[in-house]
Amino acid sequence: MGLPGTFYVANITPAGIGDWTDGEIFRAITTGVSKEGQALFSIMPHPYYGQVAQEDIEAVITYLRTLPAIENKVPASEVDFPMNFILNTIPQKAHLQPVPSKTDPVLYGKYLITAACADCHTMKENGQNILAMEFAGGMEFPIPTGGRVQSANLTPDKTGLGN
């Protein structure tokens, strides 16, 4: 995928994060800093989750606590130079927002899609979103067994949701 290293997704069932406090999980989700104070590579879109309401992040944590514990030893990620140094500059303080009123469907919809959809459904160049391609899909995700999956176009264009 052109990532600066080899990254493995952490086990976030209670087997992997069972000894983390809610505050440590909250910090990881919203700022990209692990329990041990290590910067997390932003495949998990913590910059987006850091812009939602506190109660929504707390609901995610509550849900994670209900999952069955699945023992799965995950290898440590290996970050290439110079990303191994740059990675430490990525975590940012969360800028939590209140949940917009559901009576304003445009504002509420923007809130939902920013937190949950923007990262995978916006093409990137050098790790940054291509602003003219917001929500247009096209991100490719190779499948380890072969093939690839491509994120869908969520825009009203005829090639997206507008068809």
Side-chain angles (χ1 to χ4, degrees), residues 55-136:
E55 59 263 33
D56 285 341
I57 301 301
E58 290 169 348
V60 169
I61 295 166
T62 299
Y63 173 74
L64 290 174
R65 298 276 191 216
T66 70
L67 297 174
I70 301 171
E71 293 294 334
N72 182 31
K73 186 76 172 156
V74 178
S77 295
E78 298 173 15
V79 188
D80 293 344
F81 177 84
M83 181 51 79
N84 58 331
F85 293 106
I86 296 169
L87 182 61
N88 295 317
T89 68
I90 294 175
Q92 300 291 319
K93 181 180 179 191
H95 297 285
L96 302 173
Q97 305 293 315
V99 177
S101 172
K102 292 180 182 178
T103 61
D104 184 340
V106 172
L107 191 59
Y108 185 67
K110 179 181 179 187
Y111 169 80
L112 292 175
I113 200 165
T114 297
C117 307
D119 199 48
C120 292
H121 290 272
T122 301
M123 290 181 62
K124 293 176 180 22
E125 187 170 74
N126 298 322
Q128 299 296 315
N129 286 350
I130 300 172
L131 297 181
M133 299 300 290
E134 288 177 304
F135 307 108

